[in-house]
């Protein structure tokens, strides 16, 4: 079927992209030719999207077409665009700004239909919106009560010498906006200071009125709004699991369809003695196992370990076996020096000792005086300690390289990213120390200062603790793993940001200006 081909899919995506570009290029003081061009392109895109909808309706049938939420969304956007175009043709007016134009911008979300992980993220966000309807009503009541209370406390009292501030409680609509601004954290302390000053300042009873703003921020911002975030995170946690479940179901469905195609071909061959083309068999199998167009929320349950189940067996304090190859192509497994290095790095308290040195090194870095520099006796002592710390880390580096090898062998030292970080910190510190006491000419002093700047990498030493604490490393790996989903979240965030940016252009283009001559109401007259 045409609607299920890759060509049709990419054609729709390209049309959505071009339509989005045309909507985004509109701007203030744009030339007349661009205005007319955008009008004609909007009609062309509307016809193309109507054709897409018609092809889908004919190919899938009306019943299967409207089974998909994405197809319903397309239908609403298209009919809304048709109504806006007809309204403009009849009245030559597009409402100044049309809500239907905002609907057209939502076409960009059509890409989520073909991007499974992004689609599941959007579905999780929508599910979270359904969960916070009651919380939204509670938040509205909270804002309403504090807006009314603010009018009672501060209404008509913010008439300062420099004029009334933009945020005030003189009217109910502005009181609502002021409370909402405080909840968002946008310059709320300035609003609080105005409230304090309006009641006599800090030396009078004005400080008592600061409790209004403190309570508003604590209960509104740090409690209610964070509950919204908690609900969203709870729903987003299922997005990745939903994607994996969907992939498994798609693979299973495809396997069943392939088996059905083979069965249909065999039955046809037995009945007629001829071979049925695979395309016809696929169409028959499609009717029995249709490709799912809509993703439904799937409850993913995790297995809970039985509390009575005994823990897995823990191996004893058996020594870690040495790698069989010759490290650095010099030290064989029977080499006494390598055996000694292997014994030392695998001692029970070796990592604990390195952890203590890392901790002491971090404390020494924090104790340095960056203002007095070499003039400080404390810095001179800390510099000596830094030599000792770097020497310990260098010895650790050499012991592990002799034990594991450098990079060419499997499981070699430099094949671990954490070991590369350790080696980078140590090598940069050694290079800086090598040139620290060097007296250079003015031409070479720049290179000397550049090399000394490598000592800044000492601040990475605390990161060495991550690889040595299993629980800390597990948390870090979890954070890194979660960064994969951040990409999808950023895409959704960018889509919303783009949509509201275009809407802002439609609403406010050419209106954010003022003239020093108040009699001039038009920008051109002001110039």
């Amino acid at each position: 079927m045409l609607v299920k081909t890759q060509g049709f899919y990419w054609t729709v995506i390209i049309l959505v992209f071009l339509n989005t570009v045309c909507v985004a290029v509109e701007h203030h003081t744009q030339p007349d030719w661009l205005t007319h061009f955008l009008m004609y392109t909007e009609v062309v895109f509307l016809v193309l999207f109507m054709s897409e909808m018609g092809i889908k309706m004919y190919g899938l049938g009306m019943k299967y077409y409207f089974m998909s939420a994405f197809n319903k969304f397309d239908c609403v956007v298209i009919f809304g665009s048709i109504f806006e175009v007809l309204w403009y043709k009849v009245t030559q007016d597009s409402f100044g700004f049309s809500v239907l134009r905002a609907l057209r911008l939502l076409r960009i979300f059509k890409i989520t239909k073909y991007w499974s992980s992004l689609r599941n993220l959007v579905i999780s966000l929508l599910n979270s919106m359904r969960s916070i309807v009651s919380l939204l009503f509670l938040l509205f009541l909270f804002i309403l009560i504090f807006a009314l209370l603010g009018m009672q406390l501060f209404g008509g009292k913010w008439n300062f010498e420099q004029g009334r501030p933009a945020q005030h409680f003189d009217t109910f609509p502005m009181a609502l906006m002021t409370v909402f601004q405080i909840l968002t954290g946008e310059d709320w302390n300035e609003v609080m200071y105005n409230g304090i000053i309006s009641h006599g300042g800090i030396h009078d009873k004005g400080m008592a009125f600061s409790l209004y703003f403190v309570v508003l921020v604590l209960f509104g911002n740090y409690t209610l709004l964070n509950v919204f975030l908690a609900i969203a995170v709870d729903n987003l946690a299922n997005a990745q699991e939903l994607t994996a479940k969907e992939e498994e179901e798609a693979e299973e469905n495809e396997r069943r369809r392939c088996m059905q195609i083979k069965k249909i071909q065999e039955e046809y061959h037995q009945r007629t003695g001829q071979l049925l083309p695979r395309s016809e068999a696929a169409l028959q199998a499609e009717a029995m196992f249709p490709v799912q167009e809509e993703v439904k929320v799937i409850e993913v349950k995790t297995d809970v370990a039985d509390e009575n189940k005994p823990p897995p067996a823990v191996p004893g304090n058996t020594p870690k076996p040495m790698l069989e190859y010759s490290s650095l192509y010099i030290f064989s497994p029977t080499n006494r020096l390598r055996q000694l290095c292997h014994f030392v790095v695998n001692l029970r308290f070796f990592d604990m000792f390195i952890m203590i040195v890392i901790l002491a090194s971090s404390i020494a870095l924090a104790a340095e005086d960056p203002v007095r520099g070499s003039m400080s006796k404390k810095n001179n002592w800390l510099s000596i300690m830094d030599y000792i710390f770097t020497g310990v880390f260098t010895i650790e580096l050499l012991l592990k390289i002799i034990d594991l090898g450098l990079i060419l062998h499997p499981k070699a030292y430099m094949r671990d990213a954490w070991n590369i970080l350790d080696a980078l910190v140590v090598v940069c510190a050694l290079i800086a120390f090598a040139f620290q006491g060097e007296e250079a000419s003015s031409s070479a002093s720049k290179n000397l200062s550049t090399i000394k700047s490598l000592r800044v990498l000492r601040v990475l030493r605390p990161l060495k603790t991550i690889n040595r604490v299993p629980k800390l490393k597990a948390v870090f790996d979890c954070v890194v793993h979660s960064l994969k989903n951040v990409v999808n979240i950023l895409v959704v965030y960018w889509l919303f940001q783009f949509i509201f940016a275009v809407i802002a252009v439609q609403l406010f283009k050419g209106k954010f200006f003022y003239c020093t001559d108040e009699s001039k109401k038009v920008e051109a007259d002001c110039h």
Side-chain angles (χ1 to χ4, degrees):
M1 298 175 64
L2 177 63
V3 297
K4 296 186 181 296
T5 60
Q6 286 291 325
F8 187 83
Y9 151 67
W10 282 110
T11 300
V12 173
I13 293 298
I14 292 174
L15 289 177
V16 172
F17 173 76
L18 294 177
N19 185 29
T20 305
V21 171
C22 290
V23 175
V25 297
E26 186 174 350
H27 59 277
H28 181 51
T29 65
Q30 66 183 17
D32 294 336
W33 68 264
L34 180 59
T35 302
H36 292 92
F37 173 77
L38 295 178
M39 290 175 58
Y40 290 125
T41 54
E42 179 57 36
V43 175
V44 172
F45 283 121
L46 180 58
V47 172
L48 292 174
F49 287 125
M50 290 174 59
S51 302
E52 177 209 3
M53 182 178 67
I55 293 173
K56 280 189 172 183
M57 287 182 175
Y58 179 78
L60 299 175
M62 299 295 290
K63 178 180 178 181
Y64 286 103
Y65 178 83
F66 285 104
M67 287 178 63
S68 172
F70 288 95
N71 292 337
K72 295 177 183 177
F73 165 76
D74 288 344
C75 188
V76 171
V77 173
I78 290 173
F79 278 102
S81 302
I82 293 173
F83 176 78
E84 185 192 17
V85 171
L86 295 178
W87 180 273
Y88 181 79
K89 292 295 183 182
V90 174
T91 64
Q92 296 297 315
D93 181 23
S94 186
F95 315 121
F97 171 79
S98 175
V99 177
L100 304 177
R101 178 165 296 185
L103 283 176
R104 294 207 307 255
L105 293 173
L106 295 176
R107 288 175 184 162
I108 195 171
F109 279 97
K110 287 165 67 79
I111 63 174
T112 62
K113 182 178 180 180
Y114 307 101
W115 191 343
S116 59
S117 57
L118 184 62
R119 178 179 65 244
N120 291 331
L121 183 61
V122 174
I123 291 174
S124 299
L125 288 173
L126 293 177
N127 290 334
S128 65
M129 294 301 295
R130 298 169 186 170
S131 303
I132 61 177
V133 173
S134 300
L135 188 59
L136 282 174
F137 183 72
L138 178 61
L139 180 63
F140 171 74
L141 291 179
F142 186 84
I143 295 176
L144 178 66
I145 292 173
F146 272 85
L148 295 175
L149 180 59
M151 293 178 66
Q152 298 295 322
L153 295 176
F154 309 108
K157 297 182 180 180
W158 288 15
N159 297 316
F160 307 119
E161 294 181 359
Q162 62 272 26
R164 186 177 65 179
Q167 298 80 23
H168 55 81
F169 292 90
D170 292 354
T171 62
F172 180 67
M174 277 308 304
L176 289 175
M177 291 298 298
T178 303
V179 172
F180 180 76
Q181 174 180 330
I182 294 173
L183 290 181
T184 60
E186 177 64 27
D187 205 17
W188 73 272
N189 53 328
E190 182 67 23
V191 183
M192 180 180 67
Y193 297 148
N194 290 332
I196 295 174
I197 295 173
S198 66
H199 284 275
I202 60 175
H203 299 294
D204 200 352
K205 60 180 181 179
M207 285 299 296
F209 290 87
S210 64
L211 293 176
Y212 168 86
F213 301 96
V214 173
V215 173
L216 177 57
V217 171
L218 286 178
F219 286 92
N221 193 335
Y222 294 107
T223 303
L224 284 176
L225 293 184
N226 281 330
V227 173
F228 282 87
L229 179 62
I231 294 175
V233 171
D234 183 60
N235 283 274
L236 290 175
N238 293 327
Q240 187 176 5
E241 297 174 354
L242 180 61
T243 302
K245 186 68 175 180
E246 178 186 321
E247 292 175 353
E248 292 177 1
E249 289 191 348
E251 293 177 358
E252 178 64 20
N253 195 25
E254 183 64 23
R255 186 185 65 82
R256 294 170 62 190
R257 290 179 67 251
C258 292
M259 294 179 61
Q260 187 65 25
I261 291 174
K262 184 177 180 181
K263 181 179 179 181
I264 292 173
Q265 289 178 326
E266 292 177 354
E267 292 179 351
Y268 184 83
H269 179 70
Q270 293 177 359
R271 187 171 62 252
T272 63
Q274 300 178 356
L275 294 177
L276 179 66
R278 181 175 176 83
S279 58
E280 296 184 14
L283 289 176
Q284 297 181 25
E286 179 73 21
M288 302 183 66
F289 300 100
V291 177
Q292 299 296 325
E293 296 256 349
E294 180 179 5
V295 179
K296 299 181 180 180
V297 178
I298 302 174
E299 182 180 1
V300 181
K301 297 183 179 179
T302 57
D303 295 331
V304 180
D306 187 0
E307 296 181 355
N308 298 323
K309 185 176 180 180
V314 179
N317 295 327
T318 57
K320 186 177 180 180
M322 185 183 299
L323 300 178
E324 297 180 357
Y325 55 81
S326 297
S327 67
L328 301 175
Y329 295 100
I330 299 175
F331 304 101
S332 65
T334 58
N335 184 275
R336 292 295 182 88
L337 177 60
R338 185 183 179 189
Q339 290 178 347
L340 177 62
C341 294
H342 179 78
F343 173 76
V344 172
V345 297
N346 288 281
L347 283 175
R348 183 177 179 183
F349 299 104
F350 180 78
D351 281 340
M352 180 61 67
F353 171 73
I354 297 297
M355 285 282 293
I356 295 174
V357 176
I358 293 172
L359 179 61
S361 174
S362 302
I363 295 175
L365 288 174
E368 286 186 359
D369 187 354
V371 177
R372 300 182 62 187
S374 59
M375 301 298 295
S376 172
K377 293 183 178 180
K378 180 178 67 173
N379 284 356
N380 293 331
W381 282 103
L382 293 176
S383 179
I384 297 174
M385 294 298 298
D386 195 28
Y387 279 105
I388 298 175
F389 295 142
T390 303
V392 172
F393 295 140
T394 303
I395 294 174
E396 178 202 12
L397 174 68
L398 294 175
L399 289 175
K400 290 188 175 181
I401 289 178
I402 294 176
D403 177 32
L404 302 174
L406 187 60
I407 192 173
L408 296 179
H409 298 292
K411 299 182 180 181
Y413 181 80
M414 297 297 289
R415 293 199 177 192
D416 189 332
W418 290 105
N419 292 337
I420 294 176
L421 175 63
D422 289 352
L424 178 65
V425 174
V426 173
V427 171
C428 291
L430 291 175
I431 294 175
F433 284 145
F435 291 88
Q436 189 170 6
E438 203 177 279
E439 294 183 0
S441 61
S442 58
S443 59
S445 61
K446 295 182 179 179
N447 296 331
L448 181 61
S449 62
T450 302
I451 294 175
K452 283 184 177 181
S453 65
L454 296 175
R455 297 191 65 196
V456 175
L457 291 177
R458 293 180 302 165
V459 300
L460 298 178
R461 286 176 181 172
L463 294 178
K464 293 163 65 74
T465 60
I466 298 178
N467 193 40
R468 291 167 173 83
V469 181
K471 292 184 178 179
L472 187 59
K473 185 177 180 181
V475 173
F476 182 83
D477 292 340
C478 182
V479 173
V480 173
H481 183 70
S482 65
L483 292 178
K484 300 176 182 178
N485 294 327
V486 172
V487 177
N488 294 331
I489 296 175
L490 287 177
V491 171
V492 175
Y493 173 78
W494 181 83
L495 292 178
F496 277 106
Q497 189 178 36
F498 174 81
I499 290 172
F500 279 95
V502 175
I503 292 176
V505 173
Q506 302 292 329
L507 282 172
F508 307 113
K509 64 177 179 180
K511 297 182 180 180
F512 281 13
F513 75 95
Y514 71 96
C515 187
T516 55
D517 186 354
E518 295 182 357
S519 64
K520 305 299 182 183
K521 303 299 182 183
V522 182
E523 183 180 4
D525 296 340
C526 183
H527 288 301

